[in-house]
Amino acid sequence: MELSGSGGDLALPVLRAHGVREMFTLSGGHVFPLYDGAVKADPPMPLFDVRHEQSAVFAAEAVARLERRPGLAVLTAGPGVTNGVSAITTAHFNGSPVLVLGGRAPAGLWGAGSLQELDHPQILAPVTKLATTAPTTADVPAYLDRALRLATTPHRGPTFVDFPIDELFGDAEAALPPPPERTRLAPDGGDLDRVADLLRSSVRPVLILGSDVWTDGAEESARLFAETFSIPTVTNGQGRGVLPAGHPLLVTKARGQALGGADLVLVAGTPLDFRLGFGRFGSPDADDPTPVVHLVDAPDRLGGGLVQPAATAAGDLSAIFSGLADALGDRPGRPEWAAHLQGLVASRAAKDTDLLATDTPDIHPARILGELLPRLDPDAVMIGDGGDFVSWAGRLVEPRRPGCWLDPGPYGCLGTGLGYAFGARVARPDAQIVALLGDGAAGFSLMDVDSLVRHRMPVVLVVGNNGMWGLEKHPMQALYGYDVVADLAPQCRYDEVVTALGGAGEIVTRPEDIGPALDRALAADAPYLVNVVTDPTVAYPRTTML
């Protein structure tokens, strides 16, 4: 098929062919032809504009992570692109298939000092799978096709293409690239046999399921694998919900005891990073760490951490789980080990139940979750954006379905909340969308409530307001006996900010008022912020700052 027209006209058919359904942006003259192409397409591609470029990229990433298809952000030249760098880096660490398109100063005047002239690809190369410039109008389809193929090929990640303004406004003819096809990488059979041998001789194995299990579409095969061989399982990131809350093999609540007592740990779909002790499991007093198996979606994801894996396998994660099942045959389960851990889970769950019901005059952060969780539907999407407050959610929230949890991931970037909420509402128009924000995190992106209001997107925002940077204040007190630059305004009225922007909200200072406030928020037809003042003396218990 032959295409003709401006750079925007040439871009839209390629974007659509790869599954892009919407464009997130902040208006900029350098990229007008992309807007024009979206408006004139048949049917038009929806345009969603925000108040800060990072929110556009975060919204695109939320779509990519929830829908498992490419998300698109369009940023104008210079500061438009650099404002999106932290969000692009977050997508890089999360392995999210996000395409970012940038404007660029005119090629015909390059080096002369045009407005917002900056060579963006040099900045973005370290945090993207591809960062390049489409040199001419006719190159637009081929460059977009390559960028989208790379973004969606495991291991997935963001790509970036910018366009000189004089070329994007130009006219050309070009061929539409052939439709994309997913090629699944088959794991090596010998690698699977080695993993199966280790698992066959294991008595106390533990399986860890990370975000890539969901992203790679392997959630069903992972669950069946765990159930077939009765392997206690810990979930993290978007692996949450693969084994739903209450599943007899889900032992996340006894994570420390499970990983400390395991004789083999299988880590699937997540790096051996700080969240997993850099891959070092077992008793801290042991001379040798517990053997680790690393299962990943692409060879370049293998290893890392501080230990050498005992075995590895790379490829399509569904094929890895089914291949391991075939290699193991009818290996019986380990009921004693699973029962032992479930006893520990039950004990921890009882303590968590008490914590969720904490009834003190000064509100414990866990009480907010105790009121919220019973009010959520099974398909509600929960978003975490914060430090101390969201850490409580990480400990206490166990989704009932996969694909219902978003957090910043290992890069730990604050300010994701409003962009993620925007993208989640686009991706899941009928689901409950609840963003949990620390009061520090709220300051990064709360102005984008205006974007939600303008696009008529109701979401629930819950702020745990302790008047501080809790993740810094308490550790600094413990280290030095004092703290500096860690205080925020006590009882700041974030709810009034939302109201001023056209949404609604209220402040809550008593535990018994949390539930009714959440009911009003969940029933609202506009963005609604519940501003809960929490006890500033309560710190999330941590054992490390690394």
Side-chain angles (χ1 to χ4, degrees), residues 16 29 57 95 150 168 172 179 189 192 205 240 248 280 307 313 369 477 515 525:
R16 280 229 160 97
V57 181
L150 283 172
L168 195 60
L192 296 180
R240 292 169 178 263
R280 188 177 179 91
V307 301
L369 299 168
Q477 284 280 356
D525 60 357

Side-chain angles (χ1 to χ4, degrees), residues 461-479:
L461 308 171
V462 181
V463 173
N465 187 349
N466 60 2
M468 67 177 72
W469 296 100
L471 202 58
E472 286 70 36
K473 186 180 182 74
H474 294 294
M476 193 171 183
Q477 284 280 356
L479 285 169

Side-chain angles (χ1 to χ4, degrees), residues 67-99:
E67 294 291 283
R68 297 183 287 200
R69 60 178 174 85
L72 172 66
V74 174
L75 312 180
T76 197
V81 171
T82 56
N83 278 348
V85 170
S86 286
I88 295 169
T89 307
T90 296
H92 166 70
F93 277 91
N94 288 333
S96 302
V98 175
L99 172 63

